[in-house]
């Protein structure tokens, strides 16, 4: 199978795998499980027992959440590409059904070995089955290790470590211990959390620890200083997810897409190729004027008006999206 060339292809390949593996499972059986998972994930509390306990739990997660977590992580990694060294080996903490491994393989053809450390056996089993359908050898050959991550867990060395939608399931001391361990063992550390105030707070705490450990921020921040997004605001971004008919049925939705909101940090040991600035809101467009809210390299947050009279810059501003670098530099995605 030829390797896909864009992250849109990654999402399509994942959708095909989900179709192959999940279509035999009746949607009517998964729908109540999806409702329970939505309640559990929205509760905002650290779970006292595993959320994914059965094969149906894992199937429901893969059907309604994995396309969205994959879209968020693929967006993050595509933005990190070119700013961090290309990885050959990755470790995915709390990897669930493998969304981050699919995303990394789609972004970096250099990836040849992936290890998923995951506590839930049903998630590992389903992740393995989905991976068999992946166009990338790195996904097909990924190692799925049974691991309950604890404060003393020794992490293997890696070029890339991902912890996506995991920290919210851990008590704060364990979150801190794992981020510190990641900083000691990985060259590039990626943390992705839901784009909520609580998710952002966890990302901010992880960012501080990664900086304290001597890493530098490669994205989204264009600086290593204090985050200027304060008060009632929180730094987050959005990735478009195409909903399959299975997804629409399970979430009782009619729209053909949804936007997955996420907060993230990518930190690197060594030099970071930081963006000159980052657009942290949807650009506001009025006739003849685009206004971008930009987090800048000097650590400030400003609304930056770009009037039509600035010709080329105005054209660039019209093509700029939430999450893009500003001013436009080398293409990121
Ligand atoms: C919300 S899911 C995210 C899965 C995947 N990273 C993704 O983005 O789709 C969180 C995962 O972390 C796993 N997990 C939670 N606590 C864990 C622990 N202490 N050790 C290992 N895995 C854990 C759960 O079993 C679950 O699969």
């Amino acid at each position: 199978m030829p390797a896909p060339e864009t992250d849109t292809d990654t999402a399509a390949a994942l959708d095909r795998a989900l179709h192959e593996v999940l279509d035999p499972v009746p949607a009517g059986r998964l729908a109540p499980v999806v409702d329970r998972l939505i309640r559990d994930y929205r509760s905002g509390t650290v779970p006292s027992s595993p959320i994914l306990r059965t094969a149906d739990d894992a199937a429901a997660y893969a059907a309604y959440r994995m396309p969205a977590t994959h879209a968020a992580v693929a967006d993050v990694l595509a933005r990190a590409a070119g700013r961090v060294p290309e990885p050959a080996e990755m470790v995915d903490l709390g990897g669930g059904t493998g969304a981050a491994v699919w995303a990394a393989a789609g972004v970096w053809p250099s990836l040849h070995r992936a290890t998923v450390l995951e506590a839930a056996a049903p998630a590992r089993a389903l992740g393995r089955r989905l991976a068999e359908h992946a166009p990338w050898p790195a996904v097909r050959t990924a190692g799925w290790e049974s691991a309950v991550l604890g404060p003393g867990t020794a992490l293997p060395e890696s070029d890339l470590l991902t912890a996506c939608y995991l920290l919210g399931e851990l008590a704060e001391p364990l979150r801190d211990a794992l981020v510190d361990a990641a900083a000691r063992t990985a060259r590039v550390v990626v943390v992705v959390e839901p784009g909520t105030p609580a998710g952002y707070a966890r990302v901010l705490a992880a960012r501080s620890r990664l900086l304290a450990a001597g890493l530098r921020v490669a994205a989204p921040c264009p600086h290593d200083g204090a985050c200027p997004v304060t008060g009632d605001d929180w730094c987050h971004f959005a990735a478009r997810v195409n909903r399959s008919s299975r997804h629409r049925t399970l979430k009782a939705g009619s729209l053909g897409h949804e936007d997955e909101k996420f907060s993230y940090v990518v930190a690197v040991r060594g030099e970071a190729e930081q963006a000159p600035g980052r657009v942290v809101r949807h650009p506001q467009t009025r006739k003849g004027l685009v206004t971008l809210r930009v987090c800048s390299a000097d650590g400030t947050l400003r609304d930056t008006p770009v009037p039509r009279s600035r010709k080329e810059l105005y054209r660039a501003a019209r093509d700029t999206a939430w999450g893009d670098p500003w001013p436009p530099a080398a293409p990121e995605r």
Side-chain angles (χ1 to χ4, degrees):
M1 250 180 292
E5 286 173 359
T6 68
D7 50 313
T8 314
D9 291 335
T10 325
L14 176 58
D15 193 55
R16 282 193 296 276
L18 289 167
H19 173 77
E20 291 290 334
V21 174
L22 296 181
D23 276 6
V25 186
R29 206 170 82 201
L30 295 187
V33 187
V34 167
D35 291 344
R36 201 259 299 163
L37 294 181
I38 290 174
R39 278 197 306 277
D40 284 358
Y41 288 125
R42 287 198 182 148
S43 76
T45 54
V46 174
S48 52
S49 58
I51 293 180
L52 303 179
R53 297 184 283 267
T54 67
D56 276 1
D57 293 351
Y61 181 85
Y64 99 95
R65 271 310 279 158
M66 191 181 179
T69 61
H70 170 268
V73 182
D75 190 273
V76 167
L77 300 185
R79 291 180 183 289
R83 302 195 181 282
V84 301
E86 295 187 358
E89 298 195 3
M90 81 176 278
V91 169
D92 185 25
L93 303 187
T97 47
V101 174
W102 282 74
V107 169
W108 283 297
S110 57
L111 188 72
H112 71 79
R113 207 168 111 149
T115 304
V116 180
L117 302 182
E118 167 56 51
R124 292 195 306 275
L126 182 57
R128 233 185 246 120
R129 285 181 63 206
L130 291 168
E132 286 167 12
H133 298 271
W136 303 276
V139 181
R140 290 197 299 273
T141 61
W144 297 81
E145 292 188 9
S146 168
V148 180
L149 300 162
T153 303
L155 300 179
E157 303 268 324
S158 62
D159 302 317
L160 169 70
L161 178 143
T162 47
C164 304
Y165 296 86
L166 167 70
L167 298 187
E169 294 197 15
L170 309 176
E172 196 175 335
L174 178 51
R175 265 180 235 156
D176 292 348
L178 284 179
V179 170
D180 292 350
R184 284 194 299 275
T185 54
R187 193 153 175 216
V188 176
V189 178
V190 174
V191 174
V192 184
E193 284 288 299
T196 58
Y200 164 65
R202 290 190 291 269
V203 166
L204 208 52
R207 178 184 187 271
S208 299
R209 298 190 85 83
L210 293 166
L211 286 170
L215 276 66
R216 301 205 51 208
V217 177
C221 326
H223 59 83
D224 290 342
C227 176
V229 183
T230 54
D232 292 340
D233 203 1
W234 65 99
C235 181
H236 65 290
F237 303 92
R240 181 60 50 107
V241 191
N242 288 325
R243 285 172 155 179
S244 63
S245 58
R246 175 186 340 96
H247 199 265
R248 286 200 299 273
T249 308
L250 287 173
K251 285 188 89 175
S254 54
L255 275 182
H257 66 264
E258 65 183 25
D259 288 326
E260 171 66 14
K261 308 266 174 59
F262 58 92
S263 294
Y264 76 98
V265 64
V266 178
V268 57
R269 184 162 296 287
E271 278 311 296
E273 291 283 331
Q274 290 173 330
R278 180 79 58 187
V279 176
V280 296
R281 282 273 177 80
H282 265 310
Q284 302 296 309
T285 307
R286 281 194 284 128
K287 208 166 180 289
L289 182 74
V290 178
T291 304
L292 303 172
R293 175 155 288 196
V294 179
C295 180
S296 299
D298 62 5
T300 60
L301 189 63
R302 277 194 225 102
D303 282 333
T304 308
V306 187
R308 182 179 283 150
S309 58
R310 302 287 306 274
K311 295 195 171 90
E312 270 191 31
L313 201 62
Y314 174 71
R315 272 198 292 278
R318 276 198 326 197
D319 289 342
T320 293
W322 184 12
D324 284 350
W326 184 264
E332 275 195 325
R333 38 182 307 166

